[in-house]
Amino acid sequence: MTKEEKLERVRDLRPIDDLLFEILANDKKVCEEILRTILEDNDLIVEYVEPQKSERNLYGRSVRLDALCTLGNGTKCNIEVQRTNKDNHLKRARFNASSITAYESNPSETFDNVLELYIVYISEFDFLKGGLTTYHIDKVIRENGQIIDDGLHEIFVNTTIDDGTDIADLMSCFVKKEVSNPKFPILSNAVKEIKSTEGGDSSMSKLMEDLLAEGKAEGELNQLIKLVKKGLLQVADAAKEAEMSVEEFKKLV
């Protein structure tokens, strides 16, 4: 691609797109504005953010975290953006939460000190199909309806349903190429700044590099699919090369 073509690709990116969200998540004030809205806490403080962090669990499987935030009270909160609807999202969130909890825990600590964790899962579809913008999933005693607080809080929000709330307004920003909403000035300014910066800027340069890497990865994956379809490569070997499970690769084929 020419420089202008790359710039055009960047201008087409939206906050829910992984490449742009990774850059936005580097700004803890952006994460703070997002979490204050979704968690409905205007006093919430984000002390630190680890964007695109990879953690490995005890059994060797890695988990990729979009933005792992440390809040002012020590609570951890992982923000994940998801565009594709080809996964079991509830189990994905559960796996991520388990990996973060295990990784962040000290073996010498009692279970009373297991961290408080929020999972904020932002998707471009209403996979729970309840017609809601926001879903809070709680652990409940079936017999009496009592809610049990074990320190894990899961909030699923989507960009599809507009219920007229501030959260829905925020979600509408996530699917726009140009964000200009006075309710969310930090997010709006961050998107504008990234997209209006010339290619020499570090954020723009990283986006350019990521676009090239993404294109290369897509090309290599398409080549693997073609080889499998032609019978020149076994599915198991292709899946291993693509770092996917056999079941995931079969769906692509």
Side-chain angles (χ1 to χ4, degrees), residues 168-187:
D169 283 344
L170 174 63
M171 290 299 97
S172 71
C173 294
F174 267 70
V175 292
K176 292 178 179 177
K177 297 177 183 179
E178 296 182 8
V179 180
S180 180
N181 190 321
K183 287 185 179 179
F184 313 108
I186 299 174
L187 175 62

Side-chain angles (χ1 to χ4, degrees), residues 103-146:
Y103 188 87
E104 299 289 338
S105 297
N106 190 323
S108 63
E109 292 178 340
T110 67
F111 286 107
D112 285 335
N113 294 321
V114 168
L115 62 84
E116 191 93 359
L117 175 62
Y118 284 80
I119 298 293
V120 173
Y121 199 99
I122 301 172
S123 62
E124 202 173 3
F125 36 81
D126 178 21
F127 71 90
L128 289 170
K129 303 185 186 306
L132 303 172
T133 302
T134 309
Y135 299 87
H136 293 80
I137 296 184
D138 297 318
K139 185 175 289 186
V140 178
I141 296 177
R142 184 183 304 174
E143 286 73 17
N144 61 14
Q146 179 184 348

Side-chain angles (χ1 to χ4, degrees), residues 68-87:
L68 182 59
C69 305
T70 302
L71 307 186
N73 60 3
T75 298
K76 295 283 185 178
C77 180
N78 183 50
I79 308 173
E80 178 163 351
V81 294
Q82 188 62 250
R83 286 189 54 202
T84 60
N85 195 9
K86 298 178 181 178
D87 208 344

Side-chain angles (χ1 to χ4, degrees), residues 6 84 87 110 116 189-190 206 218 229:
K6 293 174 186 176
T84 60
D87 208 344
T110 67
E116 191 93 359
N189 291 335
K206 187 177 189 315
E218 289 177 358
K229 287 184 175 180

Side-chain angles (χ1 to χ4, degrees), residues 39-58:
L39 301 184
E40 300 178 290
D41 181 359
N42 290 328
D43 296 322
L44 180 148
I45 299 295
V46 172
E47 295 284 359
Y48 181 67
V49 183
E50 297 176 78
Q52 296 288 13
K53 181 178 181 181
S54 181
E55 294 185 346
R56 185 174 294 277
N57 74 4
L58 296 176

Side-chain angles (χ1 to χ4, degrees), residues 144-206:
N144 61 14
Q146 179 184 348
I147 295 177
I148 299 298
D149 181 7
D150 61 0
L152 175 62
H153 313 275
E154 294 178 291
I155 302 101
F156 294 85
V157 292
N158 65 82
T159 63
T160 303
I161 306 299
D162 184 354
D163 62 1
T165 62
D166 286 344
I167 297 176
D169 283 344
L170 174 63
M171 290 299 97
S172 71
C173 294
F174 267 70
V175 292
K176 292 178 179 177
K177 297 177 183 179
E178 296 182 8
V179 180
S180 180
N181 190 321
K183 287 185 179 179
F184 313 108
I186 299 174
L187 175 62
S188 298
N189 291 335
V191 173
K192 182 179 180 181
E193 182 177 341
I194 291 171
K195 292 196 174 190
S196 63
T197 305
E198 290 301 324
D201 179 79
S202 59
S203 295
M204 182 66 80
S205 295
K206 187 177 189 315

